Amino acid sequence: MTYEEARAFIDDTAKYGYVLGLDTERELLRRLGNPQDDLKFVHIAGTNGKGSTLAYISTILKEAGYKVGRYISPTIFDYRERIQVNEEYISEEAVARLADSVEAAGQAMLAEGLHHPTAFEVETAMAFLYFKEKQCDLVVLECGMGGMTDATNVVKTTVISVFAEIGMDHMGFLGNTVEEIAAVKAGIIKPGTIAVSAAQRPEVSAVLQKTCAEKDTEYREVRKSDIKDVRYVFENQTFTYKEETKLKPGLTGSWQIDNAALAVEAVQALRDCGWNISDEALRKGLTETVWQGRFTTVSRHPLFIVDGAHNRDAADRLRETLELYFPEKRKVFIAGVLADKEYDYVMSQLTPLADRVITVMTPNNPRALAADKLAEDVKKYNPEVESAGSLRDAVHRARAYAGEDDMILAFGSLSYLGDLIREIREQQ
């Protein structure tokens, strides 16, 4: 199987949908020798901030001298981005070779009358095989959706579970209240381990603590009062967390202080579990963390930033950051969303801040909302809106509207930001 054939096979498995549950993944992995059982995991769930937290933790562990696997979704630039070891993407050769093994197991399951694995189940199995092959010391594993019934939750060797901020998202799958959603995400907690959480709303914290008590698991939560001396400066933020002073996160956005504090708390839990992580590795790892698509500066003059804000809490945080960093700057926005997301709230919070809004349809995505439909919806909050026929058109228009000292912000679905960033760079 070639890399192109492997990608075609994985794309074809999309016809099996997104099925929550562990039976199919367990059977697939059994046929592949259960590679996950030979690995150790930091398992991360949450609604907003789990990707950034994963990036901080894995970069710190790499700086500490460990071989670290990363499993993430969605990706921004390259399909291979979802499976990494020490921040290097899986090779095309490895994708092809591992997909061949997984396809054979999937076809055997189908021939026996069992469900064929979904695309995410296939990719998760490939990731475990690759991380075992590379002899990773620790794998930082991001849930795809939810927790309890997410394919990643087949793992039994979790060292710590980590919870980024939990809010309202994927309601059709996970529940209609934040408590229901939290209960599903709490399903990754393993008995006798340590669960580390960001500061949560009280009802979420109560759910996580209850689950930990039931599983004899220690619960640790970041306290806002332990985050001190915060210096909010664009691209040069610093803060103190407990005894760790003048920490400098590598990611921008006011919310990254909270994500970085969660990473520091997770590192302390890992230390308590016997992992050797020096203060130097902690500080250097925080500062050198890179995570594309999260308030990422792509170009300057005018300042061009992209961010994957696509739900309520992310919209609130992005608005807070814009008002904090750039209260006086003239702003041009590019927005593209998926039709099945709670995009109206996102638009209501963000588009009133813009002098001009340009809507786009995210390319190559059957769930994308049409640009003209989004523009009609945005008019309720900002009449200075127009739709663009392509990402190239949107970037061209935005640059025509923005002066040297203005800013352009592209936000919404992460699925289009990679293509948009490529377009921005091509037009420089």
Side-chain angles (χ1 to χ4, degrees):
M1 185 181 288
T2 65
Y3 175 70
E4 291 72 23
E5 289 168 341
R7 288 296 311 278
F9 154 62
I10 295 166
D11 289 344
D12 186 56
T13 60
K15 66 189 178 187
Y16 300 107
Y18 194 108
V19 180
L20 294 174
L22 304 181
D23 290 346
T24 301
E25 182 72 357
R26 283 181 177 139
E27 177 60 22
L28 175 62
L29 288 166
R30 185 189 68 78
R31 292 166 185 254
L32 295 169
N34 284 319
Q36 76 283 0
D37 290 346
D38 294 318
L39 298 164
K40 296 184 183 300
F41 297 93
V42 173
H43 204 177
I44 302 182
T47 305
N48 293 300
K50 61 181 178 175
S52 299
T53 303
L54 176 148
Y56 284 127
I57 294 171
S58 54
T59 305
I60 291 166
L61 286 167
K62 176 191 163 194
E63 291 298 331
Y66 292 109
K67 184 178 283 190
V68 187
R70 286 189 185 189
Y71 183 52
I72 63 172
S73 62
T75 57
I76 301 295
F77 292 112
D78 189 308
Y79 174 82
R80 296 177 299 123
E81 190 178 341
R82 66 197 61 215
I83 302 173
Q84 304 177 35
V85 174
N86 280 2
E87 299 172 37
E88 291 188 9
Y89 297 177
I90 185 174
S91 67
E92 292 188 358
E93 177 277 328
V95 171
R97 176 168 45 79
L98 296 174
D100 201 30
S101 298
V102 176
E103 182 190 33
Q107 287 300 314
M109 290 170 65
L110 201 60
E112 293 173 24
L114 302 173
H115 289 293
H116 190 285
T118 65
F120 187 69
E121 288 167 339
V122 164
E123 290 163 346
T124 301
M126 289 170 57
F128 292 152
L129 287 168
Y130 186 68
F131 295 142
K132 179 180 177 180
E133 187 177 283
K134 291 294 184 180
Q135 297 181 309
C136 288
D137 298 306
L138 200 56
V139 174
V140 190
L141 182 68
E142 180 184 358
C143 288
M145 186 192 298
M148 182 186 300
T149 53
D150 184 78
T152 62
N153 204 32
V154 294
V155 300
K156 302 174 184 175
T157 52
T158 300
V159 179
I160 64 170
S161 51
V162 179
F163 295 91
E165 181 184 40
I166 296 174
M168 301 297 289
D169 200 13
H170 300 299
M171 281 80 80
F173 289 93
L174 305 181
N176 295 312
T177 68
V178 73
E179 293 92 340
E180 290 174 349
I181 292 171
V184 174
K185 293 182 185 291
I188 69 167
I189 295 170
K190 299 296 185 289
T193 58
I194 301 175
V196 182
S197 175
Q200 304 282 3
R201 59 193 81 185
E203 56 270 37
V204 170
S205 183
V207 170
L208 295 177
Q209 290 186 61
K210 180 175 182 290
T211 304
C212 284
E214 291 169 349
K215 296 188 176 182
D216 192 26
T217 293
E218 182 182 351
Y219 180 72
R220 303 181 184 182
E221 183 172 315
V222 172
R223 293 186 301 181
K224 291 283 190 180
S225 60
D226 286 330
I227 303 174
K228 301 174 181 176
D229 306 323
V230 180
R231 182 171 175 260
Y232 290 113
V233 179
F234 179 57
E235 297 183 316
N236 193 27
Q237 299 185 128
T238 57
F239 72 104
T240 292
Y241 183 67
K242 295 183 177 177
E243 306 85 27
E244 302 287 352
T245 62
K246 295 184 178 178
L247 295 167
K248 183 181 178 182
L251 306 180
T252 54
S254 62
W255 62 88
Q256 290 299 347
I257 300 294
D258 294 335
N259 293 336
L262 174 57
V264 174
E265 190 67 46
V267 165
Q268 185 56 58
L270 287 168
R271 286 169 169 167
D272 292 343
C273 293
W275 297 83
N276 185 17
I277 305 165
S278 68
D279 280 348
E280 181 184 4
L282 170 64
R283 290 176 176 277
K284 189 176 180 184
L286 275 181
T287 300
E288 296 194 355
T289 296
V290 175
W291 194 239
Q292 295 287 350
R294 282 71 173 181
F295 212 72
T296 303
T297 299
V298 183
S299 66
R300 302 176 189 273
H301 310 298
L303 184 65
F304 207 136
I305 292 174
V306 299
D307 187 82
H310 62 273
N311 58 37
R312 282 177 172 262
D313 292 335
D316 292 341
R317 290 294 188 92
L318 181 54
R319 180 178 182 122
E320 171 190 299
T321 293
L322 292 171
E323 292 174 336
L324 185 66
Y325 290 160
F326 309 113
E328 306 300 327
K329 265 193 185 291
R330 186 174 173 276
K331 303 173 183 68
V332 178
F333 287 177
I334 298 173
V337 298
L338 302 182
D340 56 1
K341 290 293 183 179
E342 200 175 8
Y343 64 86
D344 187 68
Y345 180 86
V346 176
M347 297 302 134
S348 73
Q349 293 304 297
L350 294 173
T351 58
L353 303 179
D355 294 270
R356 171 74 59 167
V357 180
I358 302 164
T359 62
V360 296
M361 183 173 182
T362 66
N364 306 315
N365 195 319
R367 296 158 57 203
L369 186 70
D372 54 355
K373 172 65 170 67
L374 182 56
E376 281 298 314
D377 292 340
V378 168
K379 277 182 183 176
K380 295 182 291 185
Y381 311 112
N382 188 332
E384 299 299 322
V385 60
E386 61 192 68
S387 60
S390 65
L391 298 187
R392 175 167 294 185
D393 182 28
V395 172
H396 180 76
R397 292 191 199 194
R399 284 194 161 131
Y401 285 126
E404 284 279 300
D405 297 324
D406 299 335
M407 77 171 293
I408 303 169
L409 170 70
F411 68 92
S413 172
L414 281 165
S415 65
Y416 86 102
L417 295 186
D419 289 334
L420 186 75
I421 290 169
R422 278 187 282 268
E423 194 60 56
I424 293 165
R425 290 173 175 162
E426 285 177 11
Q427 291 191 30
Q428 285 180 344

